[in-house]
Amino acid sequence: MSLTITINGSPVPLPEDPRVSLLDFLREHLQLAGAKKGCNQGACGACTVLADGERVLSCLALAVQYQGRSITTIEGLASQDGLHPLQQAFIDHDGFQCGYCTPGQICSAVGMAEEWQRGVPSHVTQDLNTRTIRLTREELRERMSGNLCRCGAYNGIVEAIATHCGEVAP
Ligand code: FES
Ligand code: FES
């Protein structure tokens, strides 16, 4: 019986070679080219996907590490009803130029919003005892700081995420 990983809701056999990164597995084996290979060393965030809702850098992960886990890529965020609200927000707020970093930005933002709502603190969170962290622009930027954009579309990216999360304090 082959070992499987769930990709965007469907079980898929894992690669026989345990050295294959999750990113290469998605892009080269499954032709899911949404997650991008930027630096391939954990520095740019372009390869970000979600593993059971948590954001991970797929270039630093081995596919076999995620046996039995559920991976969501940018291709799996939209539904039959339409785009994910964050995908729509990026369009509405010009959160991209060339688009190369965008899949990673959006996957990261989905995971980040979950972390924030669960009360997970960041490096700049002042009160570590509160479960209701105010998502200031500083918080938002810090939490998204692992995702780089060579086009400098940061203002649109921040507006898109801020709008999606609602009530972001200045
Ligand atoms: S490609 Fe994974 S962090 Fe840059
Ligand atoms: S939109 Fe071009 S790198 Fe971000």
Side-chain angles (χ1 to χ4, degrees), residues 53 80 82 119 148 153 155:
Q80 297 210 335
L148 306 183
N155 288 343

Side-chain angles (χ1 to χ4, degrees), residues 111-132:
M112 184 279 288
E114 281 282 315
E115 291 165 21
W116 163 63
Q117 281 164 349
R118 280 190 282 120
V120 177
S122 81
H123 181 64
V124 298
T125 301
Q126 299 290 325
D127 183 359
L128 296 180
N129 293 317
T130 182
R131 294 264 314 158
T132 51

